[in-house]
Amino acid sequence: MESKIFRFLGSIRLAVPLLVAIAIILIGATFYESEVGSATVQREIYKSAWFGALMFLLAVNLGISTLSRFPWKGPRKIGFALTHWGLIVIIAGSAAVIHLSTEGMLLVRTDSGPGSQIRVEGDLLEVVAPDQTRQQTDIFIKSDGSVYPRQFGGLSLLGYSDNAIKTVQFTNDGAVENLAVQVQLQSDRMGQTLERWLAVAPAAYSQMDIGPAHLELFEARDEAELQQLLQAPDAEQSPMGTLAISQIAGQSRDRAIDVSKALGQTLALSPDLSLTVANVWPDFRLGSDGQPTSASDQYRNPAVQLVVTQGELQERWFVFGKAGLPPVRSDDQIALALTYEPPAATPTDYFRLVAAPNHQLFYAAASSKGFKSGEFLPEQSVTPGWADFEISLAQQLDHAQVQRQIVPVMPVAQGAVPAEGSPALHVATADGQDFWLPWGEPTELDTPNGEYFAAFTPKLLELPFYVKLNDFIVERNEGSESVAMWTSDITLFDAQTDTAVQRSVWMNHPTWFRGWKLAQASWNPGDLQQSTLQLKREPWWVTALTWTGSLLVVIGIVVMFYGPSLVKRWRRWTRSPQPESEPTVEENSGEKAVGTIPILAVFGK
C-alpha cells in the first residue's frame, strides 16, 4: 500500500493534473489582479494555505520522481535529476520570496524633505479601550468587503467600504443662536438631486463650491449691510485692483488709482511728486535668478512695482496686496502713504443666502445669464442660471448644532457620477452601536461603557535610510509629446554612517542600497515634482536560492539534450587508433636498429 502511494506521488498521473490546475490558477489570478489589485491577489491566492499546499505537492512529486530514478547514470538521467532538483529549489525560493520579502511604495517630492517611511501591504487597526489598554493588529480585507479578524479590542469588525464620505447634519439643539440652512439643488437634465448644508458656524460650512458654482451664507447685522450683500457684482471693478493714496507730504489725501489704466503711465500726485506703475504680479514670487515673477494669473499674492519721483529723488517701491505687509522701498525719503487693493475674488457664478437680523432669508444669484435677488421662501424654487438647476429651501435652523458622520457611498444610477470618498472600516461596540472609521484618521467612539479611540491606518515601515528626490526628468520622443523615459534623480542618506550617495532610477534600471532594491514605480503627469518608488528587500540567501535553482534547471536541460551526443563524440575520440610513427633507428655499437611496438598491440589492438 505504501509503495503504491509513493509511486502515485511521484507519477505523471499526479504531475499533469497539478500542472494544469496551477496554470489555470495563475491565468485566473492575472485577470483577477486587474480587477482587485495585487494586494488582494497576494492575500487570497499566492499567500494562501491552499496554494502553498499545491506548490508543496508539486515539489514532492518532482522529488519522488527524481529519487525513483536513482542511481542517475548517463547524461539523460543526470540532466533529468538536475532539472527536477532545480525546479524544487525554485519553488522553495518562490515561497521564501512571497513570505519573507518586504515590499512597499515611497512617494517623494522635490519640494519636500527626504522620506523614510514606505507604505507596505496591509492595514492596521489600533484600539484604545476605556481602561486605556492599547492593542494593534493587522487586518485583512477580502474582495467582498468582509474583514478578518471579526473581533478585536472589544470591537466587532462588520465590514469595509472603499468609498465613504464625510457627511454633516445639523440639529436644532444648540445652546446659542446659529443659523443653518439646508438647500436642495435639482437638475432634471443631469438626473441629480443634491442636498447641502450651509451654516454661519463653524465658518468652514459658511461656503462651498459645487462644480464651477459657489454657495455661501451671510448674516447681515443691519439693513445697510443686507442691501450691500444683495446688490449686483460691480462690473466696473478694476481687473488689476487699485492704489489707495492716503497721505502726501503729511497731508491727508483720498485718491484711488486704477492699476490697469495706470500701468506704464506716469501720474502727477503733486507739483513735484509723480508715480509710475512699472509692473504688476498677480502671484508674486522670486524666480531662480532672483528676479520677480508671477507663479500664476490668480491674485493669490499680488504685488505692484512703483517708481516714485520727487524732484531729484527717485525710489522704487514694491507694494503688496496682502494686509499688514508694508511696502518694500529702495529708500524712505519721500513722504507718501498708500496701499494696494487687489481685485476682489468674487466668483462669477454664485448663490448667496443672506439672513436679515430677524432671520428672514434673502438670496442673490449671479451667472453668465445675469443677476437676480429676492426673498428666499420655503415653497419657492430659484433658477440661478446654472444649466437647469433649481435651488429650494429644505430646512432652516436658528440654533444649529453640527453632527459629523462617515457613511459609505451608495450605488448610483448608470451614467451618474458617484461622490469620491476614501476607505472606511465599519465597526460596532459591545452595546450594539456601530461606527465608520475613516482611513488614516483617529476616531473617538462614545459608548455607555466609556470612550474608545480607534484608528484604521495604512501599514508603514521605517527605512534604515532616507530618500530625497532631487529632480524628476521626463524625456520625450523627438518631434512628439509621447514619453520616452522618466528618471528619478535621488540622494540616499545613511544616518548611521553619516554618508550620502547620488543615484538615478528609471524604468527597468533599479539601484541597490543597504540591501534594498529601489525601482521606478510610477509618476504623475500632472505633477512633475513627484515620483513613486518601489522598495523591496529579501534575505540574501533567498536570492541565492532562486538563482541556484535557475542555474540547475539550465544545466540540467543542457545535459539532458546535449549530453548524449557529447558523450558519443568523446568516446569516439578516445577510442580512435593513434597514427603509427616511423621506427627510429638508433646506432648502438653496431647493433641492428630495433623498431618500437605500438602500445595498443599489447591489448590486442
Side-chain angles (χ1 to χ4, degrees), residues 17-27 51 54-55 58:
L18 270 178
L19 291 173
V20 171
I22 291 172
I24 292 174
I25 291 169
L26 294 178
I27 293 172
F51 187 77
L54 278 178
M55 298 304 295
L58 178 61

Side-chain angles (χ1 to χ4, degrees), residues 285-305:
R285 297 287 189 278
L286 286 177
S288 58
D289 57 355
Q291 297 300 312
T293 185
S294 184
S296 69
D297 294 332
Q298 304 297 317
Y299 280 79
R300 298 190 179 99
N301 185 33
V304 295
Q305 182 186 19

Side-chain angles (χ1 to χ4, degrees), residues 354-372:
V354 185
N358 61 356
H359 285 191
Q360 185 179 1
L361 280 180
F362 296 87
Y363 74 89
S367 70
S368 58
K369 297 181 180 179
F371 175 82
K372 61 175 66 174

Side-chain angles (χ1 to χ4, degrees), residues 262-285:
L263 184 62
Q265 304 292 323
T266 299
L267 306 177
L269 303 182
S270 69
D272 64 340
L273 180 64
S274 64
L275 176 148
T276 303
V277 180
N279 214 331
V280 180
W281 297 280
D283 197 359
F284 180 84
R285 297 287 189 278

Side-chain angles (χ1 to χ4, degrees), residues 314-567:
Q314 189 177 81
E315 296 180 6
R316 292 187 176 274
W317 291 32
F318 286 89
V319 187
F320 296 92
K322 287 190 175 180
L325 289 178
V328 177
R329 304 169 55 171
S330 61
D331 205 341
D332 58 354
Q333 298 186 50
I334 299 177
L336 175 65
L338 56 79
T339 57
Y340 172 43
E341 299 175 359
T346 303
T348 56
D349 293 342
Y350 66 85
F351 186 80
R352 177 182 299 160
L353 288 174
V354 185
N358 61 356
H359 285 191
Q360 185 179 1
L361 280 180
F362 296 87
Y363 74 89
S367 70
S368 58
K369 297 181 180 179
F371 175 82
K372 61 175 66 174
S373 63
E375 189 175 359
F376 195 45
L377 301 173
E379 66 275 6
Q380 178 185 14
S381 292
V382 177
T383 55
W386 319 329
D388 67 333
F389 271 102
E390 294 184 355
I391 302 179
S392 58
L393 178 63
Q395 292 187 65
Q396 177 178 344
L397 307 177
D398 295 333
H399 295 80
Q401 184 176 15
V402 64
Q403 292 183 341
R404 299 177 178 87
Q405 288 182 312
I406 306 294
V407 296
V409 176
M410 302 303 293
V412 297
Q414 186 175 3
V417 179
E420 292 187 7
S422 58
L425 186 67
H426 194 193
V427 301
T429 57
D431 59 351
Q433 296 187 71
D434 67 302
F435 303 87
W436 283 92
L437 306 180
W439 195 67
E441 295 182 24
T443 304
E444 179 182 342
L445 312 180
D446 192 7
T447 72
N449 299 325
E451 291 182 344
Y452 284 84
F453 289 90
F456 170 46
T457 61
K459 193 173 182 180
L460 302 175
L461 179 67
E462 188 74 25
L463 295 171
F465 55 89
Y466 295 86
V467 183
K468 176 70 175 73
L469 180 64
N470 303 319
D471 194 12
F472 186 74
I473 304 166
V474 177
E475 298 181 15
R476 303 185 184 274
N477 293 315
E478 187 176 354
S480 70
E481 289 298 315
S482 60
V483 176
M485 185 173 62
W486 54 90
T487 303
S488 295
D489 285 339
I490 58 176
T491 300
L492 303 171
F493 300 92
D494 189 340
Q496 294 182 358
T497 59
D498 195 23
T499 58
V501 295
Q502 304 284 335
R503 300 286 175 83
S504 292
V505 179
W506 63 95
M507 291 302 295
N508 301 321
H509 286 79
T511 187
W512 280 262
F513 187 72
R514 292 284 303 274
W516 287 81
K517 175 184 174 183
L518 292 85
Q520 183 70 55
S522 63
W523 63 295
N524 184 357
D527 187 358
L528 297 184
Q529 292 183 311
Q530 167 184 314
S531 177
T532 302
L533 303 176
Q534 180 191 52
L535 285 87
K536 187 174 183 179
R537 181 191 64 185
E538 57 189 34
W540 66 268
W541 59 267
V542 173
T543 305
L545 201 64
T546 306
W547 280 99
T548 301
S550 302
L551 185 61
L552 285 174
V553 170
V554 172
I555 294 174
I557 291 174
V558 170
V559 171
M560 192 161 41
F561 285 96
Y562 297 99
S565 61
L566 291 175
V567 169

Side-chain angles (χ1 to χ4, degrees), residues 582-588 591-596:
E582 294 292 332
T584 58
V585 179
E586 297 182 359
E587 296 181 359
N588 190 8
E591 295 182 0
K592 293 182 179 179
V594 180
T596 59

Side-chain angles (χ1 to χ4, degrees), residues 74-154:
R76 291 193 182 278
K77 288 189 176 182
I78 293 174
F80 178 87
L82 288 174
T83 303
H84 281 61
W85 287 124
L87 291 173
I88 294 172
V89 173
I90 289 176
I91 292 173
S94 300
V97 167
I98 290 175
H99 295 283
L100 299 179
S101 65
T102 302
E103 182 179 336
M105 297 294 180
L106 175 65
L107 190 147
V108 287
R109 297 185 58 87
T110 58
D111 56 357
S112 63
S116 62
Q117 285 188 332
I118 61 173
R119 169 76 165 93
V120 297
E121 178 190 342
D123 299 286
L124 291 176
L125 176 62
E126 185 173 359
V127 179
V128 180
D131 60 0
Q132 299 304 306
T133 57
R134 183 185 299 268
Q135 301 180 66
Q136 188 181 82
T137 185
D138 292 338
I139 60 174
F140 170 47
I141 300 168
K142 299 182 179 180
S143 57
D144 60 357
S146 59
V147 182
Y148 178 83
R150 293 287 188 179
Q151 302 281 336
F152 179 75

